[in-house]
Amino acid sequence: MSTVIEPQSPASPSVAPEPAGLLAAFTSAHDVVAATQKVRDAGYRRIDVHSPFPLHGVDTVLKAKKPLLPFAALIGAAIGLGGGIWMAWWMNAIDYPFIISGKPLFSILPSLPVAFELAILLAAFAVFGGALALGGLPKHSNRLFSIPVFARATNDRFFLSIEASDSRFDADELSNLLNQAGAVSIDHIPHAEPGSPKIPRPFAMAAAALLVLALVPPVLIAKARSTTSTTPRLSFISDMDYQPKFKAQTVNRLFADGRAMRPQVSGTIARGDLRSDVALYRGIVAQEIRSADGGSAVGLREPEAPETPPSQPLSTSTGDLQTTVLVPDQADRANDRMQTSPADGSSETVQAWVTRIPVDVDESFIRRGRQRYDIYCATCHGIGGDGDGLVTLRALELEQGTWVKPTSLHAEPVRMQPDGQLYNTISNGIRKMPGYASQIPVEDRWAIVAYLRALQKTRTAGVDDVPSDVLPNIRELN
């Protein structure tokens, strides 16, 4: 029985896979730029340079296209600018209009700071996102990293890579060209291993968890805006919401009387009561009227005599008190005083407005008053005191019905008011006019009163009010 042995075919030699490209290393920036120029002149187009630092002139050699990032930044800035102005218009003029001293609901100039900041922010986002998109980032792997010598790309080596997908690619011809250009080493770029571009599973799960958590706050906010709740709101920054405090008229077991509101400490006085000169600080004069049994009158300051004689008083009685007041027109024209005397004969205090400014008045004092008037008063009352200030004119122009035009300072009821009453109005306000005591010092308030008197004289002064040494000059002008 014979055995037939079939001849065995010789082992076929292993064929090396085609490289995905070539990576050439150079020792200087000049050499890699020169080699890039030679490879470019040879017709290769899919090439790239890797360097530890930017190389001047390499973009020209590569004939790289102009990046799109400047256009992305311009588009982002335009969206931010327009969006900021639109947001300010919507919030102020449409969604929540709020009238402040008759000012317009929307103006372009106050909106520019917000629009400018949004333009910068969105331009930065556009550049950041564009750099990631155009660079194909993020990449968690790169086939060049599998070449050991490429680790020196961040230290002292310069590399030139040519992709095999280039239509001109020829590994042998290109290797000779790179050796002639001064390459110190040439390596084949490997193909990416199957499955290597995938994101590791732990990272993918962490990213998914973060995405879900990021959606929780918007969902909770949307729920809170669209529904009602009987439970207190969430407060991450409590500020003064939950501070240890007791509200008025509540029980406080800490004190023996069980009250949260504490009485005034014995021996204390109200703020401002140490100012004994009530004429200077309050614009009033206080004195004690004579008692019914003929007792002597004692006062802090004798009141000034009124410019006009008082009218017939009106008397009313309530219980044990008898009240005597002047009629309203005389109260405004004179001292606006009120007297209260008990029926048992004991003395009571009477208050009257100061009729003369209780400080020295000279030209510099009046000029100071004019300066303060122009700052605090002219915006509503006008430079001439006729109630035609810029704020008033703007409010009347809007015709919103909420503005009350200030009374002319030259009107007779105002001119006949004592100086102390004018001072009190400046200090504490009247009707819709707020008080300016916290903004204007005491002396400056009296200076404004002095200037008001001078301003009123411009409408009512006669020849007798002109100084004798100035009168001849006025007659010459006439």
Side-chain angles (χ1 to χ4, degrees):
M1 183 175 180
S2 62
T3 301
V4 178
I5 302 175
E6 296 181 359
Q8 297 180 358
S9 60
S12 58
S14 60
V15 179
E18 289 292 330
L22 294 182
L23 179 69
F26 298 87
T27 58
S28 67
H30 174 75
D31 291 342
V32 74
V33 173
T36 303
Q37 183 66 59
K38 290 182 179 181
V39 172
R40 182 76 184 180
D41 293 341
Y44 290 91
R45 295 296 179 265
R46 298 185 64 84
I47 58 181
D48 201 357
V49 176
H50 311 273
S51 170
F53 50 82
L55 299 178
H56 296 287
V58 72
D59 290 339
T60 304
V61 174
L62 292 173
K63 294 184 180 180
K65 297 180 179 179
K66 293 184 178 180
L68 299 177
L69 290 182
F71 299 100
L74 182 61
I75 294 174
I79 295 175
L81 187 65
I85 295 176
W86 175 86
M87 182 178 65
W89 167 78
W90 169 260
M91 292 180 177
N92 294 299
I94 303 298
D95 187 49
Y96 196 81
F98 192 68
I99 301 173
I100 302 176
S101 300
K103 296 179 181 178
L105 297 178
F106 172 75
S107 180
I108 189 68
L109 292 180
S111 307
L112 289 181
V114 175
F116 173 77
E117 296 295 337
L118 281 179
I120 297 299
L121 180 64
L122 294 189
F125 284 165
V127 171
F128 180 76
L132 294 179
L134 295 177
L137 300 175
K139 288 182 178 180
H140 63 277
S141 65
N142 193 314
R143 56 192 179 184
L144 294 180
F145 293 160
S146 62
I147 303 175
V149 71
F150 189 72
R152 302 181 68 175
T154 59
N155 189 8
D156 59 352
R157 284 292 184 269
F158 304 85
F159 293 90
L160 175 61
S161 62
I162 303 93
E163 298 288 338
S165 58
D166 195 307
S167 59
R168 183 73 174 80
F169 185 82
D170 186 322
D172 295 334
E173 178 185 355
L174 184 58
S175 296
N176 294 332
L177 180 61
L178 293 174
N179 285 326
Q180 295 175 4
V184 296
S185 65
I186 300 176
D187 295 278
H188 287 186
I189 301 176
H191 291 275
E193 296 180 2
S196 61
K198 292 184 179 180
I199 300 177
R201 184 178 179 82
F203 289 96
M205 295 180 62
L210 290 176
L211 180 61
V212 173
L213 292 177
L215 295 177
V216 172
V219 171
L220 293 178
I221 294 173
K223 178 179 179 297
R225 289 180 60 89
S226 58
T227 60
T228 57
S229 174
T230 57
T231 58
R233 63 181 180 179
L234 295 176
S235 180
F236 299 100
I237 303 176
S238 60
D239 289 337
M240 300 178 65
D241 291 342
Y242 304 104
Q243 63 174 334
K245 65 181 179 181
F246 291 95
K247 295 184 178 180
Q249 308 296 340
T250 57
V251 177
N252 182 356
R253 300 181 184 276
L254 179 63
F255 300 101
D257 57 6
R259 296 186 303 171
M261 299 176 63
R262 308 312 305 148
Q264 187 172 352
V265 179
S266 177
T268 60
I269 60 175
R271 182 177 180 180
D273 281 2
L274 287 177
R275 296 177 173 180
S276 59
D277 193 347
V278 293
L280 177 64
Y281 291 104
R282 299 177 58 187
I284 61 175
V285 225
Q287 67 172 0
E288 290 188 3
I289 63 173
R290 190 176 303 275
S291 60
D293 57 0
S296 61
V298 180
L300 298 175
R301 178 191 290 266
E302 288 297 328
E304 304 285 352
E307 297 180 1
T308 58
S311 64
Q312 184 68 26
L314 300 177
S315 299
T316 59
S317 298
T318 304
D320 296 335
L321 295 180
Q322 181 179 3
T323 304
T324 302
V325 296
L326 298 178
V327 293
D329 59 336
Q330 286 295 330
D332 289 338
R333 295 168 58 86
N335 285 332
D336 191 29
R337 66 178 64 189
M338 180 180 69
Q339 300 177 352
T340 303
S341 56
D344 58 2
S346 60
S347 61
E348 284 289 324
T349 303
V350 62
Q351 289 184 352
W353 295 120
V354 170
T355 58
R356 291 185 179 85
I357 299 176
V359 294
D360 295 335
V361 179
D362 54 16
E363 183 178 353
S364 62
F365 188 74
I366 298 177
R367 290 185 181 276
R368 173 69 178 180
R370 177 179 182 179
Q371 182 191 49
R372 299 294 95 182
Y373 175 89
D374 291 344
I375 294 174
Y376 294 101
C377 312
T379 53
C380 294
H381 289 278
I383 296 295
D386 296 303
D388 56 353
L390 295 179
V391 173
T392 299
L393 296 179
R394 176 60 178 172
L396 296 177
E397 178 184 352
L398 295 177
E399 297 182 351
Q400 295 176 339
T402 58
W403 182 262
V404 178
K405 183 179 179 181
T407 304
S408 172
L409 300 177
H410 302 281
E412 184 177 0
V414 178
R415 288 190 294 104
M416 298 305 296
Q417 289 181 9
D419 294 342
Q421 189 172 358
L422 293 176
Y423 173 86
N424 177 74
T425 301
I426 297 173
S427 302
N428 303 314
I430 185 173
R431 293 186 294 275
K432 287 195 172 184
M433 171 184 164
Y436 289 86
S438 61
Q439 304 179 48
I440 309 177
V442 173
E443 290 76 8
D444 286 347
R445 279 176 258 164
W446 284 116
I448 293 176
V449 174
Y451 174 68
L452 286 180
R453 293 308 190 195
L455 190 64
Q456 292 169 347
K457 281 291 184 181
T458 62
R459 305 288 179 90
T460 61
V463 177
D464 296 337
D465 296 316
V466 181
S468 58
D469 56 338
V470 180
L471 187 59
N473 298 331
I474 297 179
R475 291 175 176 172
E476 290 178 4
L477 291 177
N478 293 334

